[in-house]
Amino acid sequence: MFETIMTWSFWTMLLASGVRMAMPLLYAGLGEMVSERAGVLNIGMEGVMLCGAFFSFAGAYYTGSLGLGLLFGMLGGALISMIHAALCVKGKQNQTVSGLALNMLALGLTSFLYKLMFNSGERMQISVLPKVKVPLLSEIPVIGEAFFNQDILAYAAYVLLIAAFVLIRYTRLGLSMTSIGENPMAADAAGIHVEKRQMLACLVNGLLGGAGGAYLIIAQLGLFNDNLTAGRGYIALATVILGRYSPFGVFLAALLFGTANAVEIRLQAFGVPVPTQALAMLPYIITLCALLMTSGRNREPEALAKPYIRGGR
Amino acid sequence: MKAVRILTRVLIYVLALAAVSVLLIAASGADPVSALGIFVNGIFGNKNSFCEIFVKGTPLILTGLACALAFRTGFFNIGTEGQFYIGAMAAAAVSLRCTFLPPVLRVVGAFIIGFLAGGLWSLIAAGMKLRFNISEIIVTIMLNYIAINFVGVAVHSFLQDPASGLPQSERLAAEVTLPRIVSGTRLHIGFFIALALVVLIWFILEKTTWGYEMRLVGLNPRAAEVNGISVAGGVVRAAMLSGGLAGLAGVIELMAIQKKLLEGFSADCGYTGVLIALLAANRPELVPVAALLYAAAQVGAAAMQRQANVPSSMVSILIGCIVIMLLARAWLSGRVSRRGKQRV
């Protein structure tokens, strides 16, 4: 066992599968970060991802095109998150309750629809996205193989990461969203249309969360199961906290969770006597510790999950 | 007049749900009328299935009660799922490993330790909220996953049955399980324990100074604080009681139904408890109604799945729809006051 561990190729493989596992979390985490920065907490991210996964599977299966599958997945995610937006941004309802209800709805809806699909045919599987090597960059030892020998959606995620950074740091739109998350009343007074921006943030949340779910299908598994996401939406919430509400922070947190997941699978393969659950709980413990250690310098948006009512106080 | 208004409102919900149900049943290729017959027959058809409502409802009553109590105090405990497992694990440890005690003491001990374990688990979130101002919503969700994996570790190590080698504990000895009431069914005494706890929590919350303080903390923490009522005290009480109740749900489910600790046996009843509490408008006395209705829907839907091939995940869709309708109604009738306070 130790001979296997002590080779470069082992570490390369480990990191590569860690990056692959991190991708759904990165997409969903970025989506959740955008909406949380604008003050909307979406506990329903699990449901958003699940809908994204199911609709991308159904879309790709029936149309035969992975691109259309991705599109359907993103729209499926947006469907859930726009219900959330209607109830919480427009309707000022409790964001936690709405999110949990949407999780349940998505879980029921996707397994219901999947069962209907399954009745009509044999075992359903779609082919997944091929890997594309980036010339030059993929030649870098260890890192090159891990980061630049992935599928095209992973590269899209890198672009998205930079775009999110620019959006939040340097654009009027991003700054106005952040100001809503911190103090919606001041933002409103400054002439920012609070509800419109929050609706937009929710739309981004749904599209990206849906893409995260779709990634599981069209880049990793190629098939669907009941409750396929199995808690990844909640981990995406954790990446936002651990990543301190910044795009690159979310990226690093997603990498950490992804790699932990990869290590877990490797240990299982080796037959290590430690229960894998001991490792599976580590990301959550790390997140709690990070929350405790940074509690004085809290980055949480001040008005997170508090509905803003014009003229209220 | 008020009764008429409420009646029409309920009627609208029922009609909307019926429409969704017919749509779903028709989509799965079954005949809605005969499917409804199977649904009703699945619930009332025989003694066993009727009692199953109370079996499935028992943990939901307790987790729903836990959430209702916590929400009324302004402590958003989403962690009943984890507290359920911690309670069950503690009870398993006591009833399996403390064999030096007589069985009666082991049962009582399992209840007490299970309650305390669940309560302390949720107290972690309360402590982080009070001391560091960290949102309890996020913390309880993280604690859920830690607890679930903790049970996974336990059934692979210190609580594993060495004889079977499977990831589960030994079977509880018959003298430390909860007795059944109706022969030929799974209905057990835990249901009445849950009802007694509903009465107790209702009494505490509505009729005692303690409960009044908790409600006040939930309604307006600032007003509570300036009137000399400790917000921290209220939150700690709510966390302890609510976590403890969720823990007891785990204890009862373990000692009456599963009779051994294994992974995934909560069947999401912790998360469902949040929605049960919402359906019951966070009122303890309404929690059993909501929980039993939900359980009945589950039992009926299971029969529909068996006999008419209608996926039982229909129940999840329906409860999701109900909650969304409730939220939408609150929005459209503008019940949220201009100050943005929510009903607690």
Side-chain angles (χ1 to χ4, degrees), chain A residues 32-39 168 177-178 180-182 245-246 301:
Chain A
E32 184 70 22
M33 183 199 69
V34 169
S35 81
E36 287 194 22
R37 283 188 83 103
I168 283 171
M177 278 186 183
T178 306
I180 291 168
E182 292 298 333
Y245 299 87
S246 87

Side-chain angles (χ1 to χ4, degrees), chain A residues 159-178:
Chain A
V159 176
L160 194 69
L161 183 64
I162 294 164
F165 177 75
V166 173
L167 172 87
I168 283 171
R169 259 313 165 70
Y170 298 110
T171 67
R172 188 174 280 271
L173 180 66
L175 291 171
S176 69
M177 278 186 183
T178 306

Side-chain angles (χ1 to χ4, degrees), chain A residues 142-164:
Chain A
V142 184
I143 294 175
E145 176 70 19
F147 287 93
F148 298 105
N149 184 16
Q150 297 285 2
D151 49 84
I152 193 160
L153 270 180
Y155 303 133
Y158 303 150
V159 176
L160 194 69
L161 183 64
I162 294 164

Side-chain angles (χ1 to χ4, degrees), chain A residues 47-255:
Chain A
V48 170
M49 286 182 82
L50 195 52
C51 263
F54 174 76
F55 285 107
S56 72
F57 176 74
Y61 183 75
Y62 287 123
T63 65
S65 145
L66 291 178
L68 280 177
L70 175 68
L71 183 70
F72 278 114
M74 291 172 77
L75 291 178
L79 172 78
I80 294 287
S81 121
M82 289 327 276
I83 299 177
H84 187 68
L87 292 173
C88 300
V89 175
K90 291 277 178 198
K92 320 292 177 198
Q93 298 299 308
N94 185 316
Q95 298 181 1
T96 314
V97 171
S98 159
L100 285 173
L102 288 172
N103 280 342
M104 189 160 233
L105 181 71
L107 179 61
L109 191 67
T110 53
S111 47
F112 189 90
L113 291 175
Y114 181 61
K115 220 157 248 157
L116 295 191
M117 257 179 95
F118 202 70
N119 272 348
S120 61
E122 66 289 359
R123 181 168 175 71
M124 290 177 292
Q125 172 111 32
I126 56 169
S127 54
V128 295
L129 285 173
K131 287 190 179 178
V132 184
K133 257 195 166 109
V134 178
L136 286 180
L137 285 175
S138 62
E139 304 297 319
I140 309 169
V142 184
I143 294 175
E145 176 70 19
F147 287 93
F148 298 105
N149 184 16
Q150 297 285 2
D151 49 84
I152 193 160
L153 270 180
Y155 303 133
Y158 303 150
V159 176
L160 194 69
L161 183 64
I162 294 164
F165 177 75
V166 173
L167 172 87
I168 283 171
R169 259 313 165 70
Y170 298 110
T171 67
R172 188 174 280 271
L173 180 66
L175 291 171
S176 69
M177 278 186 183
T178 306
S179 72
I180 291 168
E182 292 298 333
N183 189 340
M185 197 187 267
D188 197 4
I192 296 168
H193 199 305
V194 174
E195 282 189 1
K196 222 186 241 170
R197 292 278 190 278
Q198 286 188 329
M199 296 293 277
L200 182 64
C202 283
L203 182 65
V204 173
N205 174 304
L207 291 175
L208 292 187
Y215 188 91
L216 287 170
I217 297 289
I218 61 183
Q220 287 182 355
L221 301 168
L223 49 84
F224 187 81
N225 273 319
D226 285 359
N227 195 16
L228 178 97
T229 46
R232 284 187 184 82
Y234 291 110
I235 302 186
L237 296 179
T239 60
V240 178
I241 303 165
L242 195 58
R244 316 260 290 139
Y245 299 87
S246 87
F248 287 104
V250 170
F251 178 56
L252 290 178
L255 267 187

Side-chain angles (χ1 to χ4, degrees), chain B:
Chain B
M1 267 327 278
K2 199 179 168 208
V4 174
R5 266 218 318 276
I6 291 174
L7 217 63
T8 28
R9 199 184 294 153
V10 170
L11 205 66
I12 291 173
Y13 286 135
V14 171
L15 284 178
L17 286 181
V20 176
S21 310
V22 167
L23 196 77
L24 291 175
I25 292 169
S28 54
D31 171 36
V33 178
S34 66
L36 181 72
I38 294 169
F39 183 85
V40 175
N41 194 43
I43 298 173
F44 298 104
N46 61 52
K47 190 172 73 172
N48 187 24
S49 59
F50 186 68
C51 288
E52 203 61 13
I53 297 173
F54 303 98
V55 172
K56 288 211 181 348
T58 302
L60 294 174
I61 292 177
L62 288 170
T63 53
L65 191 63
C67 292
L69 172 86
F71 295 171
R72 285 282 281 273
T73 320
F75 177 69
F76 273 92
N77 182 7
I78 314 295
T80 40
E81 184 80 12
Q83 292 140 20
F84 177 101
Y85 279 113
I86 293 292
M89 189 165 66
V94 171
S95 48
L96 287 171
R97 295 287 178 266
C98 299
T99 38
F100 50 86
L101 291 171
V104 181
L105 276 186
R106 266 190 281 160
V107 173
V108 175
F111 271 81
I112 295 173
I113 301 292
F115 180 88
L116 289 178
L120 290 175
W121 194 250
S122 103
L123 216 51
I124 299 174
M128 286 175 79
K129 175 189 168 90
L130 293 169
R131 178 74 183 78
F132 300 110
N133 198 20
I134 301 170
S135 156
E136 72 273 25
I137 298 171
I138 299 294
V139 175
T140 47
I141 289 175
M142 299 295 125
L143 286 174
N144 280 346
Y145 281 96
I146 297 175
I148 289 166
N149 284 306
F150 199 176
V151 170
V153 172
V155 295
H156 279 97
S157 55
F158 58 94
L159 279 173
Q160 188 173 25
D161 178 8
S164 79
L166 295 170
Q168 60 188 37
S169 75
E170 301 93 307
R171 222 180 144 74
L172 263 61
E175 65 266 24
V176 291
T177 57
L178 296 183
R180 290 184 177 173
I181 299 169
V182 183
S183 64
T185 73
R186 298 201 297 168
L187 182 61
H188 54 83
I189 199 167
F191 174 65
F192 295 98
I193 299 176
L195 284 190
L197 285 167
V198 169
V199 176
L200 180 72
I201 294 298
W202 171 82
F203 183 79
I204 290 177
L205 207 55
E206 306 288 351
K207 301 287 167 198
T208 65
T209 320
W210 239 48
Y212 174 74
E213 290 176 359
M214 285 165 66
R215 279 184 290 143
L216 194 58
V217 167
L219 279 171
N220 192 337
R222 218 139 142 220
E225 196 74 67
V226 296
N227 281 297
I229 292 166
S230 156
V231 171
V235 170
V236 165
R237 251 174 257 167
M240 193 67 212
L241 281 175
S242 141
L245 286 169
L248 284 184
V251 175
I252 290 174
E253 198 65 4
L254 175 88
M255 300 180 78
I257 301 296
Q258 296 296 335
K259 300 186 176 148
K260 60 189 165 204
L261 187 69
L262 66 172
E263 288 178 274
F265 79 100
S266 98
D268 270 356
C269 79
Y271 289 114
T272 312
V274 177
L275 302 178
I276 298 281
L278 182 88
L279 295 183
N282 294 336
R283 283 160 63 180
E285 68 274 23
L286 294 182
V287 164
V289 182
L292 291 176
L293 280 177
Y294 179 75
Q298 264 190 328
V299 172
M304 279 206 301
Q305 168 149 327
R306 278 194 309 272
Q307 296 169 32
N309 213 13
V310 178
S312 65
S313 45
M314 204 180 113
V315 180
S316 305
I317 301 181
L318 288 182
I319 195 158
C321 287
I322 297 176
V323 175
I324 289 168
M325 282 197 302
L326 283 175
L327 291 175
R329 194 189 72 86
W331 162 26
L332 296 175
S333 67
R335 216 173 48 183
V336 178
S337 74
R338 278 176 61 80
R339 298 216 170 149
K341 279 204 210 79
Q342 303 188 350
R343 290 200 341 139
V344 275

